Amino acid sequence: MSMFSFFKKKPVAPEVPEVKTPAPAPTPTAATPAFAAPLPDLLPIEEPAPKLSWMSRLKAGLSKTSNNLSILFVGAKIDDELYEELEAALLMSDAGVDATQYLLDALKQKVKDDKLLDAAAVKAALKQLLIELLTPLQRPFELGRHQPTVMMISGVNGAGKTTTIGKLAKHMQTHGQSVLLAAGDTFRAAAREQLMVWGQRNNITVISQASGDPAAVSFDAVQSGKAKGLDVVMIDTAGRLPTQLHLMEELKKVQRVIGKGMEGAPHETLLVIDGNTGQNALAQVKAFDDALKLTGLVITKLDGTAKGGVLAAIARVRPVPVYFIGIGEKIEDLQPFVAAEFVEALLG
Ligand SMILES: Nc1nc2c(ncn2[C@@H]2O[C@H](COP(=O)(O)OP(=O)(O)O)[C@@H](O)[C@H]2O)c(=O)[nH]1
Ligand SMILES: [Mg+2]
């Protein structure tokens, strides 16, 4: 699947060898980043060619769950023991009680209805059920409906918000989109500087404010994006724990103020979640969705010890679309979520 779908094709779609026009210099802003201090790179500047395909790396990332599931079906008889082992494997994959029960019941019904007799057929039936469960989460990320498309990016600290913003900005640039970033994570000076330095290196303007009012920074960014006729404005936000009411109130205020900067904005309110946080990811989706009415999710870090089942839990309990999934720190490591691909990686 392509990275974005465009409501309106840009008239100047670069076809063959792209002639690089010099990008506009970053706008000087109040806070000058401290270049002396070594800051973590958002993304490596040189992008080595990917050695393995996206599918094989996704598969490797989810190997814990795929191994647990696949081994069940090897030469197995279709009996209570198989279902019990499957239940345990699904629970261990972070699918949660609700999705696990739903999948087991549906599978048993299918085995009965279709008179399935061998383990391979049961596995294929489970695969089909999982695809059906996850497909409603699949949604192309649309650009070009608004000028600019304003995106607010939320999530707890360390989930991967800033990294995801960097990757998305690069992907958008290669699709001919002009992008402006707002460093709304003003609680942490390092977070603000991280984005500023990254923006300078990548010729992407970053709006920042040393004074640190996230709502004001966001408002400025929206105004600037409108005035300059840019395509996308992405607003980074702070991410302390969602259980602290204060953060949610702050984020709600930021969201409201963005709406004052442009009617109907933010057009997308995304939540970034770390794919390794298990059932807590579901709690985060609920808490942020209750506060902000999310339009989409980005699930990162499906390349480590992530088990993947949390997507099934989300699909059952709070089906917010999953726009992108991440399997590493490089630009090509963020891709659109495709249910059939994901299930193939889990149960292929
Ligand atoms: N392995 C892996 N690491 C990631 C991924 N996405 C982000 N990270 C890392 O997670 C850490 C926190 O990311 P950051 O964007 O700063 O999170 P933020 O606090 O939500 O802004 C950084 O070290 C990132 O490089 C991913 O998909 N896979
Ligand atoms: Mg950050």
Side-chain angles (χ1 to χ4, degrees):
M1 199 206 262
S2 61
M3 201 68 193
F4 309 107
S5 92
F6 288 92
F7 175 68
K8 231 174 12 197
K9 260 262 177 302
K10 287 211 98 183
V12 282
E15 292 272 317
V16 260
E18 194 185 337
V19 184
K20 277 251 157 70
T21 46
T27 310
T29 48
T32 313
F35 282 103
L39 290 164
D41 277 345
L42 266 186
L43 300 167
I45 296 173
E46 297 288 329
E47 286 298 319
K51 291 194 191 78
L52 293 167
S53 72
W54 165 258
M55 260 318 277
S56 58
R57 287 183 308 134
L58 181 59
K59 219 171 181 144
L62 300 173
S63 60
K64 201 167 190 168
T65 298
S66 75
N67 290 342
N68 283 349
L69 286 174
S70 291
I71 202 159
L72 291 183
F73 295 100
V74 178
K77 277 193 300 205
I78 304 168
D79 53 16
D80 286 348
E81 199 185 334
L82 175 66
Y83 289 122
E84 272 164 35
E85 284 173 0
L86 181 56
E87 180 176 21
L90 287 170
L91 288 171
M92 259 164 54
S93 81
D94 295 332
V97 175
D98 183 285
T100 297
Q101 198 55 53
Y102 164 79
L103 285 167
L104 276 178
D105 291 348
L107 186 63
K108 284 178 188 169
Q109 192 62 47
K110 203 159 176 168
V111 166
K112 214 162 120 189
D113 292 348
D114 299 352
K115 302 187 173 61
L116 303 182
L117 294 172
D118 67 293
V122 178
K123 186 182 173 188
L126 176 64
K127 217 164 138 176
Q128 195 51 43
L129 284 169
L130 256 176
I131 292 174
E132 282 164 22
L133 178 62
L134 297 185
T135 296
L137 297 183
Q138 184 180 317
R139 177 129 8 133
F141 190 85
E142 196 184 64
L143 287 173
R145 194 179 279 277
H146 311 277
Q147 185 108 29
T149 297
V150 178
M151 302 162 61
M152 174 174 169
I153 319 294
S154 66
V156 302
N157 275 352
K161 290 181 295 298
T162 310
T163 317
T164 296
I165 288 171
K167 290 177 189 167
L168 280 175
K170 293 295 269 180
H171 279 295
M172 286 167 176
Q173 273 191 330
T174 60
H175 284 82
Q177 301 287 293
S178 50
V179 181
L180 175 71
L181 305 183
D185 186 358
T186 53
F187 292 110
R188 297 187 298 171
R192 195 172 63 226
E193 281 163 11
Q194 181 194 17
L195 198 61
M196 292 290 292
V197 172
W198 183 87
Q200 297 209 346
R201 284 184 189 155
N202 291 278
N203 279 316
I204 293 178
T205 308
V206 179
I207 301 252
S208 175
Q209 252 188 19
S211 68
D213 176 2
V217 178
S218 309
F219 184 81
D220 283 358
V222 173
Q223 291 280 303
S224 173
K226 265 202 316 193
K228 291 180 180 152
L230 300 180
D231 297 313
V232 180
V233 173
M234 269 190 277
I235 296 159
D236 199 2
T237 63
R240 286 179 307 195
L241 287 176
T243 44
Q244 289 171 285
L245 187 67
H246 179 67
L247 175 69
M248 287 306 170
E249 290 311 313
E250 188 73 52
L251 291 176
K252 280 200 234 178
K253 180 177 159 202
V254 169
Q255 196 182 41
R256 262 197 321 273
V257 171
I258 290 172
K260 288 190 178 134
M262 180 178 181
E263 176 138 12
H267 309 103
E268 300 284 354
T269 301
L270 305 188
L271 174 68
V272 178
I273 40 186
D274 177 338
N276 297 288
T277 40
Q279 288 298 293
N280 191 248
L282 192 58
Q284 289 172 23
V285 174
K286 285 187 198 162
F288 280 82
D289 188 39
D290 286 343
L292 302 172
K293 286 201 177 36
L294 299 171
T295 60
L297 304 176
V298 178
I299 302 178
T300 64
K301 308 191 198 184
L302 293 171
D303 53 316
T305 55
K307 300 170 194 158
V310 73
L311 273 93
I314 291 168
R316 282 290 297 176
V317 180
R318 193 61 71 99
V320 178
V322 178
Y323 284 128
F324 303 106
I325 56 176
I327 57 165
E329 306 187 45
K330 298 193 199 76
I331 289 158
E332 71 269 13
D333 293 338
L334 187 76
Q335 295 291 333
F337 168 68
V338 179
E341 229 176 61
F342 193 83
V343 174
E344 184 63 32
L346 273 182
L347 268 174

